[in-house]
Amino acid sequence: MAAPTAASAAYYNTYSTVATLGNANGCYSAQGFGVGSTYAYSVKVNSDDTKAVVYRTNMSDESTTLMANGDNGTTYTTALGHANDVALHSNDGNYYMFVVTMEAGSASLVKLRYVGTTYYKVGSYAITYGGANKAMTGVKITGKDASNIYFLFKNGRTFYRGSLPLTATSGTINTTYGFYVNIENALVNGSTIGNITSYSTQGIGYHNNTLYYPLTYSNVSVVLVYRNVSAASGTIYADNGLSFRITSSAYSDLFEIEGLGVANGDKLWFNTNRRANPDDTTSDGVHYFNDYSAV
């Protein structure tokens, strides 16, 4: 099949907001994001990453609940560091979140079990690459079998693969090099972005062997799409037939996509840090791109 031309490429630049996120326990900054079949989960952290809170948003009725820490009866946890990305997992009727903390060492990845709107810390793991501890900024689960969970990790533009026994509550994930994403040549609505190397990147999305890679510069967020990542190696290039961009005049100080996930009618969901001005603390939200249906 011939690649689509720029004129016929699919491009999405509008979105709907289903929830705004509060600032409980002084946690003003939206970070990690994961979606299940019914709920989306957003983590927010405070200014020095010593506290994190988790919000659960019902993707159908748009209700949002501040989750409770079942370990100590509060509504915050001190275990998640910067909580830059979240991967959801279920096994034997139990539900889990894996959170990358952006720390190197024994708590690079933290595992929470959640029951309804209550969570419990049940594991923490070191992540290594080449024998050295490695801090990661993104995580998604690409599959599992009878013994292991398989992860895709990110640090900047470099991706790593690793695995963990299904029921392990501690240990080390020894990663291998996966691939590197080219962004300079990516087409967004048919054109490259001249200053794209100045854009920052946060968490990631993963669905059906496809990687969704968000980038932000001020009040502009774009999402690049990379196909067939399970077999990818070396430098890989974005799908020029599909791109996303939000340029927000309403949130002119910042419109930053933090993480993405596909669910609920194959919508592409995401959470944001949004600011209309430098003092805005009330606009972080959960959203989806209009009209897009993932394949």
Side-chain angles (χ1 to χ4, degrees):
M1 181 179 295
T5 64
S8 64
Y11 172 62
Y12 300 88
N13 68 336
T14 63
Y15 72 101
S16 295
T17 296
V18 301
T20 54
L21 302 172
N23 301 303
N25 300 296
C27 296
Y28 291 95
S29 179
Q31 300 299 333
F33 183 69
V35 295
S37 59
T38 303
Y39 299 101
Y41 297 86
S42 302
V43 184
K44 297 189 69 171
V45 300
N46 67 356
S47 59
D48 61 1
D49 296 341
T50 57
K51 289 184 179 180
V53 296
V54 185
Y55 289 95
R56 186 183 82 164
T57 299
N58 187 308
M59 292 181 287
S60 295
D61 69 20
E62 305 182 4
S63 60
T64 295
T65 303
L66 175 64
M67 297 183 70
N69 183 341
D71 294 326
N72 60 18
T74 69
T75 53
Y76 68 88
T77 174
T78 60
L80 301 184
H82 194 64
N84 209 59
D85 204 4
V86 172
L88 302 183
H89 172 67
S90 62
N91 187 53
D92 287 340
N94 294 308
Y95 296 88
Y96 303 97
M97 301 179 200
F98 289 91
V99 183
V100 284
T101 64
M102 287 184 62
E103 298 173 2
S106 61
S108 294
L109 185 71
V110 171
K111 182 181 183 180
L112 304 179
R113 180 175 67 90
Y114 59 96
V115 181
T117 58
T118 301
Y119 59 83
Y120 308 83
K121 181 186 174 186
V122 294
S124 61
Y125 317 88
I127 302 172
T128 66
Y129 175 68
N133 288 328
K134 184 77 174 177
M136 297 295 183
T137 61
V139 61
K140 285 297 180 279
I141 293 171
T142 58
K144 71 173 185 177
D145 56 27
S147 302
N148 297 294
I149 309 167
Y150 298 94
F151 294 95
L152 183 66
F153 293 105
K154 173 183 80 76
N155 184 297
R157 294 164 62 181
T158 304
F159 286 76
Y160 305 85
R161 299 184 177 99
S163 64
L164 188 68
L166 273 176
T167 59
T169 57
S170 63
T172 298
I173 302 172
N174 299 304
T175 64
T176 58
Y177 174 80
F179 54 87
Y180 180 82
V181 293
N182 170 282
I183 61 174
E184 293 86 351
N185 300 107
L187 300 185
V188 178
N189 196 25
S191 300
T192 59
I193 298 173
N195 69 330
I196 197 166
T197 57
S198 298
Y199 280 53
S200 61
T201 178
Q202 300 296 331
I204 54 176
Y206 177 87
H207 177 72
N208 280 356
N209 204 19
T210 296
L211 170 69
Y212 296 87
Y213 185 81
L215 293 158
T216 297
Y217 186 85
S218 185
N219 66 327
V220 181
S221 275
V222 301
V223 180
L224 306 182
V225 179
Y226 298 84
R227 305 288 193 184
N228 302 316
V229 295
S230 64
S233 62
T235 298
I236 66 172
Y237 293 81
D239 180 348
N240 290 327
L242 176 61
S243 62
F244 304 82
R245 173 167 47 207
I246 302 295
T247 303
S248 180
S249 58
Y251 301 97
S252 56
D253 189 66
L254 184 68
F255 189 96
E256 183 173 54
I257 293 178
E258 294 290 329
L260 305 106
V262 172
N264 195 272
D266 290 338
K267 291 183 174 70
L268 182 60
W269 294 80
F270 59 97
N271 70 337
T272 56
N273 273 326
R274 299 188 299 179
R275 291 196 304 262
N277 57 68
D279 298 320
D280 182 4
T281 61
T282 63
S283 299
D284 295 349
V286 176
H287 330 267
Y288 62 84
F289 280 95
N290 295 334
D291 303 318
Y292 177 68
S293 180
V295 294

